[in-house]
Amino acid sequence: MLQLRLWALPRAPLARQLHTTGIAKATPVAGTSAAKPTEPAPAKWTPNSIRTGLIARKRGMAVLWNDQGVRMPVTVLQLENCQVTANIRTVRRDHSEYHAVQVAASDRPAKTTTRQMLGHFRKAKVPPKRIVKEFPVTPDAHIPVGTTLSACHFVPGQFVDVVANSIGKGFQGGMKRWGFHGLAASHGVSVSHRSSGSAGNCQDPGRIWPGKKMAGHMGNKRITTQNLAVVRVDSALDLIFVRGNVPGVDDAQVLIRDAKKKMTALSAHNQAKGLYEKVLPKGVDDLPFPAGTAELAKALPAIVEAPAYRRSPFTPLE
């Protein structure tokens, strides 16, 4: 069952209003005392919860060695004052609700920001930002506006999806763009070794089908790299180390979110089947919910690494 925050619940109109005079003249019953307001319990992550993502910069690639001595390539992603600027709730035509968290990152001078965006950031009480994105979430995953997010939002051992624009390659031929074999490299071909060959049809249909693989502009597209493992988190420098490569050039803005296949969908699937020990990846006990904030990072170690759970490749087989 999803746990909803009290401030996220819609307020129902009061059907009947009590007069203030009657409340003031009311006398308490003997033996009773006024109940103290209690703070709501902190929200807990559930397999059906969808958390917000983060905006980071790709700093480049490096190598790490795990506790078994295995070398692995990693991509270093760094957060730049990533803050929440709005909580979005929209009612669709079918009366369903769309919930999202708007996140902004990378501070910029006020003189280079439009007045419309300056007013938006002023309302959220955050400095002007260079990039603003929103992430769809479940109703229980809203975050107070102005919250500063930290790298501890992701736990070492979990999987993430990274979205970015790929590196532009310009106009390329069929061999480089689509991996075509090309024509013969020696006999029987004259100045057409890298040609794509015939691309059309006969008089019927007399045209080229849409989507035909041909020469054209390559790269500079929105690419999502799925199921990248988080191997290390540095809360002091807001660094996230993910295993493998990430699309985009160095210093490009990238979007990081929980993996849709290996985290969101698989968690809900295993929960429904009763496989509670497989709801989260091995070694991950829980996820910060609704988000990993800068205040939470102060209570955690500065650097957290994911141990190796596989058999050591250097151990001989018996």
Side-chain angles (χ1 to χ4, degrees):
M1 181 177 179
L2 297 180
Q3 299 179 0
L4 299 179
R5 284 183 176 270
L6 296 181
W7 53 265
L9 294 174
R11 296 182 179 179
L14 295 178
R16 185 177 180 181
Q17 297 287 346
L18 297 177
H19 199 276
T20 56
T21 306
I23 298 177
K25 294 181 178 180
T27 58
V29 181
T32 61
S33 59
K36 297 182 180 180
T38 59
E39 296 183 358
K44 187 74 172 176
W45 179 86
T46 64
N48 295 321
S49 300
I50 300 178
R51 305 189 304 160
T52 181
L54 301 180
I55 304 175
R57 278 189 182 271
K58 176 183 175 182
R59 293 308 185 188
M61 295 197 67
V63 291
L64 293 178
W65 285 263
N66 61 9
D67 51 2
Q68 296 176 346
V70 178
R71 179 182 184 272
M72 50 186 174
V74 297
T75 302
V76 184
L77 307 175
Q78 185 176 27
L79 274 62
E80 290 184 339
N81 200 16
C82 187
Q83 295 178 302
V84 178
T85 54
N87 288 299
I88 301 171
R89 175 185 173 273
T90 305
V91 180
R92 302 188 182 96
R93 291 185 176 180
D94 59 353
H95 303 291
S96 62
E97 292 184 354
Y98 168 80
H99 294 267
V101 174
Q102 187 184 91
V103 179
S106 299
D107 295 348
R108 67 184 302 176
K111 65 179 181 180
T112 62
T113 309
T114 61
R115 293 187 177 182
Q116 294 83 354
M117 293 306 298
L118 281 176
H120 180 66
F121 294 133
R122 191 181 305 112
K123 181 179 179 181
K125 298 181 180 180
V126 299
K129 306 290 184 179
R130 292 189 180 276
I131 179 172
V132 179
K133 296 291 181 181
E134 70 178 50
F135 297 89
V137 298
T138 47
D140 60 337
H142 285 287
I143 310 171
V145 176
T147 303
T148 302
L149 303 178
S150 173
C152 68
H153 181 73
F154 297 108
V155 179
Q158 76 163 100
F159 298 93
V160 295
D161 294 341
V162 180
V163 185
N165 287 335
S166 61
I167 299 177
K169 304 290 185 179
F171 191 95
Q172 299 295 335
M175 294 183 66
K176 180 178 178 66
R177 192 183 185 197
W178 301 109
F180 286 173
H181 180 270
L183 302 184
S186 57
H187 298 79
V189 176
S190 299
V191 202
S192 300
H193 307 284
R194 300 183 62 87
S195 174
S196 300
S198 176
N201 297 300
C202 298
Q203 186 174 357
D204 182 21
R207 62 188 178 93
I208 295 179
W209 297 105
K212 175 69 176 178
K213 294 181 179 179
M214 302 176 68
H217 189 275
M218 181 180 178
N220 195 24
K221 292 184 178 179
R222 183 183 173 96
I223 301 296
T224 301
T225 305
Q226 298 180 337
N227 304 326
L228 297 177
V230 179
V231 297
R232 184 176 180 178
V233 169
D234 188 341
S235 301
L237 300 177
D238 272 341
L239 298 178
I240 303 173
F241 297 80
V242 297
R243 184 168 185 171
N245 57 346
V246 166
V249 298
D250 289 349
D251 292 333
Q253 302 280 3
V254 300
L255 310 181
I256 320 172
R257 67 191 181 202
D258 293 336
K260 287 187 175 181
K261 294 180 179 179
K262 280 196 172 183
M263 292 294 297
T264 305
L266 190 61
S267 298
H269 175 74
N270 290 334
Q271 174 76 7
K273 293 184 64 176
L275 304 175
Y276 304 111
E277 69 280 357
K278 295 184 179 180
V279 169
L280 289 172
K282 182 182 294 186
V284 179
D285 298 330
D286 198 3
L287 298 177
F289 193 80
T293 61
E295 290 75 13
L296 177 63
K298 296 178 182 178
L300 299 176
I303 298 177
V304 182
E305 293 186 358
Y309 294 99
R310 303 180 63 181
R311 185 190 63 84
S312 174
F314 305 109
T315 303
L317 296 176
E318 296 181 357

